[in-house]
Amino acid sequence: MLKKRFLPVIAFASGLAIWSVLAQKSSEIPSAPPLTGWMQNFTPTAAAGPALEGSLLRQDGSSQPLADFRGKLLLINFWATWCAPCIREMPSLQRLQAMRGGEDFTVIALSQDFQGWNKVAPFLERYDLSGLPVYVDEQTRIARSVRVTGLPATILLDREGKILGRLTGIAEWDSPEAVALIDYYVGR
């Protein structure tokens, strides 16, 4: 009889203990990306659309389909050699690639220069950006397809090539808040 009286109390206490463990675990994973500091202007996409398609022009003149990057998070930065804010943020993109680039994540600097590699190659050499994957966006096809309206602009693609979000303007891509944003999406 005494046992029956305490059963609801025991059940409640057990449920409370399980809930507190689950609540603690779920609170460790943020439900939204951290959007502070340099990332305060990052705008997550409400609903992922179709995968981004297109090809990137390599320095050797060959094309690399964006589909080749499927399976990893991809940060595409649209820039140009004549864009002062772009020049300022390029080293931070290179450092982010060095810090986080690998199987799960890659940075791509996608030049919007109409003179293509004739303009881009000397620029990369002058600023010692050899550790950054750089391509040319022939006739700005990819930039136009994602409605880039100013430089620099950056989009983040999921593992299927769908846009997760974008940031228009300059950012320090190796800042703690940028790294936290990338880590948030890599961990999803």
Side-chain angles (χ1 to χ4, degrees):
M1 181 120 198
L2 189 61
K3 288 182 184 177
K4 284 185 180 180
R5 223 168 89 190
F6 287 108
L7 260 172
V9 173
I10 293 169
F12 176 76
S14 298
L16 187 60
I18 291 170
W19 177 83
S20 69
V21 167
L22 292 176
Q24 181 180 5
K25 291 285 187 199
S26 66
S27 68
E28 293 171 7
I29 301 169
S31 60
L35 302 176
T36 61
W38 285 101
M39 296 296 106
Q40 67 186 350
N41 293 326
F42 181 85
T43 307
T45 304
L52 183 59
E53 299 293 335
S55 291
L56 313 172
L57 182 65
R58 294 184 184 126
Q59 190 168 2
D60 66 5
S62 64
S63 292
Q64 174 143 13
L66 277 171
D68 288 355
F69 295 97
R70 301 278 158 72
K72 62 171 64 182
L73 219 57
L74 190 60
L75 186 81
I76 302 177
N77 178 264
F78 297 88
W79 68 284
T81 59
W82 46 263
C83 167
C86 300
I87 295 167
R88 183 176 178 272
E89 80 175 350
M90 294 294 279
S92 72
L93 288 161
Q94 180 170 266
R95 289 188 297 269
L96 176 63
Q97 175 65 17
M99 290 167 46
R100 291 294 190 267
E103 288 183 27
D104 292 330
F105 174 73
T106 296
V107 174
I108 288 180
L110 190 54
S111 170
Q112 303 302 298
D113 286 278
F114 289 118
Q115 294 176 340
W117 281 104
N118 291 334
K119 193 77 170 169
V120 173
F123 174 89
L124 296 176
E125 193 172 313
R126 181 176 58 222
Y127 289 99
D128 191 28
L129 295 168
S130 59
L132 183 61
V134 178
Y135 298 88
V136 170
D137 186 7
E138 279 191 292
Q139 299 173 354
T140 66
R141 285 186 183 120
I142 295 174
R144 284 184 286 133
S145 74
V146 294
R147 295 179 182 93
V148 169
T149 58
L151 299 178
T154 308
I155 60 171
L156 184 62
L157 302 180
D158 69 10
R159 290 171 178 83
E160 296 172 2
K162 298 175 182 178
I163 298 175
L164 290 168
R166 67 178 58 225
L167 189 148
T168 301
I170 192 170
E172 287 295 324
W173 287 101
D174 61 336
S175 66
E177 55 270 21
V179 172
L181 178 84
I182 298 305
D183 288 348
Y184 167 82
Y185 283 109
V186 167
R188 287 179 53 186

